[in-house]
Amino acid sequence: MKKSTYVPVLAFMLIAVIICIIAINYFDGLSEVQAQTQAALQKSSPASQEAVNVARQLNNAFIAIAKKANPSVVTIFTDKVVKQPDPYTSPFSDFFGRSFPEREQHLQGMGSGVIISEDGYILTNYHVVRDADAIKVMLLNGKKVEAKIIGTDAKTDIAVLKVKEKNLAPMALGDSDHLHTGEWVLAIGSPLSENLAQTVTAGIVSAKGRSNVGLANYEDFIQTDAAINPGNSGGALVNLDGKLVGINTAIASQSGGFQGIGFAVPINMARRIMESLIKEGKVVRGWLGVLIQDIDENLAKALNAPASGGVLVADITQSSPAEKAGIKAGDIILELDNRKVKDGTQLRNEIARRAPGTAVKILIFREGKKIDLNIILGELPGEPARPARKADVFEKLGFKVQPLDDQIAKILRIDPNEKGLVVMEVLPNSPVFESGLRPGDLIREVNRVPVNTVNDFIEIISQLKSGDTVLIHLKRYDNHFFAAFELP
């Protein structure tokens, strides 16, 4: 072979050797990278697994809480009967024994509630059962039972119901005062329809002490982003211990649907209302007797007030605990029982939650000086007795009443300035029918107490018990007479 032939062969062999060397180094490097990657993955897996375990623990906690709490949450169905005169007949076709021709409409509603005792006491919202003529409760097993209103408090939007069932599964009550912003909570209820009963949603406590929301007179709401929708009202807000910390009440929404802002009545407030309704038949609140307003920057400057906090006393109620203690208009209330007062809502709630007769210490600021006052709280006046529904009264007595208006007065041919209530319907063969009461009669007094409104009438009747005698002073046309009967 010639010398010129060896040159290309040697060049080719040299190139092949170089390629092999590069390939060996590449794959050795790739193997090293793979080994390093595998080592890194092995090194990070314990931490990743730990995170997964934490997530599983939270998941299992939600499962356990839902399983434990669901039997305590009920669906509430309400029915309100609205009667309207038949336009084709006279509403006073017969005053003596025959019911007025009327058309019935049934307005039905739905909400949620929480069982809080084995013998059937249930917490819910006042607005869920407001003006209901009939209430039924559906338990976890689908059984529907009739419920009775024990009492309601519109000022906190709380109501207490009772069902005649035994061995129910009550939910343990937590302590909402120790609830923290950011804490996990579950909302349980029946949103939108009974087919969605015992729906569980999760979220956190977004804020505490929300007020001026416009939902109730006394507001100290828990705000949460756990999904709350129409029908959830009255349901349970539960912490990770499976304890009831709030009664879900409302949503803040422009569309009427869930937008991440829900409100719940703290269980500590709801518990006090519930116990008062059950034991006293009404809500008893502490009373100071001051009209207060929050202090803005201009007021603080004009009054030479302390830098922050406090509320301004605008007026004093005569003979109130505040007047007796020496509080004056223009005073600034800085502290209640050594706790700073930040605004009027806080002070109002704190006073209302204390029982009448409680001694409190109030620090006021007056004309540049701080003054300590000791005050014995009174009872907030004007609190209604245990509410009685109109349907309850009708069922108990056997007749219905309504205020006298110009149209009815014209039909009855009586002076529209007369005081009293008109009998609108009497059940045949009832005790009141036997006593002589008839539709169209004007009731002036019940048990010698004048009655001018339906609430007057209901308040008197609701205080009576079975077997008590009811004395009614009546007017029929130009005749006055009395009717008496025993309460069934």
Side-chain angles (χ1 to χ4, degrees), residues 21 146 242 252 268 300-301 315 375 445 483:
I21 292 172
E146 291 186 358
N268 288 5
K301 186 176 180 181
D315 198 8
I375 302 176
E445 295 180 351

Side-chain angles (χ1 to χ4, degrees), residues 201-255:
T201 56
I204 63 169
V205 175
S206 305
K208 290 180 61 181
R210 291 300 198 203
S211 59
N212 299 317
V213 180
L215 298 173
N217 294 78
Y218 292 93
E219 297 184 337
D220 188 26
F221 290 118
I222 300 166
Q223 182 183 329
T224 178
D225 67 348
I228 297 175
N229 288 288
N232 273 117
S233 292
L237 191 70
V238 184
N239 65 11
L240 289 185
D241 294 323
K243 293 183 177 180
L244 184 66
V245 294
I247 299 297
N248 297 325
T249 297
I251 55 175
S253 171
Q254 295 178 338
S255 65

